[in-house]
Amino acid sequence: MSQSTAAPPAGPEKHYHDQLAQGRFQIQRCQACAQAVFYPRMICPHCGADRLDWITPSGKGTIYSTTVVRRKAEHGGDYNVALVDLEEGVRMMSRVDGIAPGAVAIGMAVQAHVIDAGDSKLVVFKHAGGRA
């Protein structure tokens, strides 16, 4: 039985990952309706236009939802998974670093950071103090 591997990213997804590899977090904005777009796409999900520019978001966000994934310590311990609403109007899934997984709370103000994650880079968030 052969094992399939995911094809390398292409198009807008490749641009996103290439920028992330350079330490730059970018999202798209539609030229037609001015709505922010994330995850990278070819067509605006708001209006259907195919004119999407790349912008650098402020990185400011608010925790929309969060959960703690429980793991044994020898497997890396517990971590949180959070849905973050960015100031620009998009929602993304990530995690909040620098505080206990159970301390992440809905409404918490966070700030995006690009970190090294082995052979790639990721966007994670850190508590920005207080609530949004």
Side-chain angles (χ1 to χ4, degrees):
M1 184 167 165
S2 67
Q3 184 179 19
S4 65
T5 58
E13 187 177 355
K14 180 175 183 345
H15 177 88
Y16 172 77
H17 287 287
D18 288 349
Q19 292 302 303
L20 210 52
Q22 300 296 319
R24 292 187 290 268
F25 171 40
Q26 292 191 320
I27 62 174
Q28 293 171 297
R29 180 172 314 252
C30 179
Q31 290 178 15
C33 70
Q35 294 287 317
V37 175
F38 186 83
Y39 200 79
R41 325 166 180 236
M42 298 289 292
I43 305 275
C44 176
H46 306 287
C47 73
D50 63 355
R51 299 180 323 268
L52 299 171
D53 290 328
W54 290 95
I55 63 166
T56 300
S58 69
K60 294 178 183 176
T62 304
I63 300 297
Y64 173 81
S65 180
T66 184
T67 192
V68 176
V69 177
R70 305 281 181 198
R71 296 187 303 187
K72 294 180 179 181
E74 62 267 21
H75 295 262
D78 298 347
Y79 67 96
N80 72 75
V81 175
L83 292 177
V84 178
D85 286 340
L86 291 181
E87 185 175 73
E88 289 75 15
V90 297
R91 181 174 292 154
M92 66 183 294
M93 184 181 295
S94 185
R95 68 175 191 246
V96 180
D97 283 352
I99 63 173
V104 178
I106 293 170
M108 178 182 284
V110 291
Q111 179 67 45
H113 294 273
V114 177
I115 64 162
D116 287 317
D119 60 349
S120 64
K121 296 199 182 214
L122 298 174
V123 176
V124 299
F125 291 84
K126 294 190 180 187
H127 184 223
R131 298 177 68 80

